[in-house]
Amino acid sequence: MIKAIAVYMDGTFLDTNKQFDQSRFEEIFKKLKDKGIIFIVVSGNQYAKLKSIFGVRDMFFISKNGVVIYKGNEMYSYCSFNRDIFQSVVDDLNINNKIDQLIICGVKSAYILKNTSENFKEDARLYYHQLEEIDSLQALPDDDYVKIAFNLNRETHPRLDKELGEIFKDSIKLVSSGRDSIDIIMPNMTKGQALTRLLNEWNMSPDDLMAFGDANNDIDMLELAKHSYVMANSEDALLCDIASAVAPSNDEQGVLTTIEKVVLGYS
């Protein structure tokens, strides 16, 4: 019996234009609540970004790839890096590898350098609604830090992800959120592990969970859920072997269609 539904955002719940059928979702969400089914949004994005999409709702938001969890508008739980280790990773990227287009993610806000390009700043603002520009990455504001996000240039840094993984092997985990977009997160703080913590707190099992994803960093979430769906638009063939079924593409509102058929019994 499905008691909770977890959905990834980009490429899964949202279509190519970063939209979804809001009126259709409203109807589905009300029916899920009536059945006592918990709806969980899972994303690498900030809670502020997710809140701007869904508003304040009686649902769970797993943000920043499993590190920060909100229940409605309230902080539910979070885990952060050791500050010295985090600064060492930032310094390796910024000083040793000369990368300044980094998004440094804290619980309070995300941070970027003032002297980066306007194009980079505009891209960052699309995903991080709480965003501050700072003078130096070696003088980070007072915050609890949970993630570093950047785009890896394979021409200039062909082995950077492997080198970072070797240098900080016990302290960080690198995940790809699509092509060469890299998130550096804490070990044991993935989407699947965040969902496992919630299921344990709710006295549920993976048999009670339905999950939707489309990319490499959704693997452990799909491995966890008994009712797991990879989107038809996914470019990762491995997910088809992991998921229990294929949902219609994100541009066909495949998540909503599958919930209607499988959970709500629409014909």
Side-chain angles (χ1 to χ4, degrees), residues 76-125:
Y76 188 78
S77 68
Y78 77 91
C79 296
S80 59
F81 276 99
N82 172 281
R83 182 64 180 259
D84 292 337
I85 291 173
F86 188 81
Q87 188 65 62
S88 296
V89 180
V90 172
D91 290 347
D92 191 281
L93 289 166
N94 182 229
I95 298 174
N96 299 344
N97 287 285
K98 310 300 181 186
I99 299 174
D100 60 3
Q101 291 192 348
L102 300 171
I103 303 175
I104 309 300
C105 302
V107 172
K108 299 176 185 175
S109 182
Y111 307 91
I112 57 175
L113 284 172
K114 287 181 181 177
N115 62 358
T116 51
S117 70
E118 284 304 316
N119 284 341
F120 173 69
K121 291 178 181 178
E122 287 178 12
D123 287 344
R125 292 187 192 109

Side-chain angles (χ1 to χ4, degrees), residues 22-58:
Q22 295 190 30
S23 60
R24 187 178 177 189
F25 174 71
E26 285 291 345
E27 180 181 346
I28 290 171
F29 183 71
K30 289 176 182 176
K31 290 184 177 180
L32 293 178
K33 280 199 67 178
D34 290 343
K35 288 178 172 287
I37 297 172
I38 301 170
F39 193 82
I40 310 162
V41 171
V42 187
S43 176
N45 292 327
Q46 282 181 319
Y47 167 70
K49 171 69 174 179
L50 302 177
K51 181 181 174 181
S52 74
I53 296 171
F54 290 97
V56 178
R57 292 177 180 273
D58 184 17

Side-chain angles (χ1 to χ4, degrees), residues 139-180:
L140 295 173
D142 181 22
D143 204 338
D144 292 322
Y145 289 95
V146 298
K147 187 178 82 168
I148 303 168
F150 67 102
N151 288 324
L152 178 58
N153 186 329
R154 294 285 178 186
E155 293 183 6
T156 58
H157 298 85
R159 296 192 70 256
L160 179 58
D161 50 346
K162 292 181 175 60
E163 291 168 356
L164 282 172
E166 292 167 1
I167 295 169
F168 301 101
K169 63 179 181 179
D170 297 322
S171 304
I172 67 172
K173 180 174 182 177
L174 289 87
V175 296
S176 171
S177 54
R179 300 188 185 275
D180 287 325

Side-chain angles (χ1 to χ4, degrees), residues 208-220:
D208 301 318
L209 180 65
M210 170 182 272
F212 296 84
D214 75 295
N216 174 269
N217 62 341
D218 301 325
I219 286 177
D220 71 336

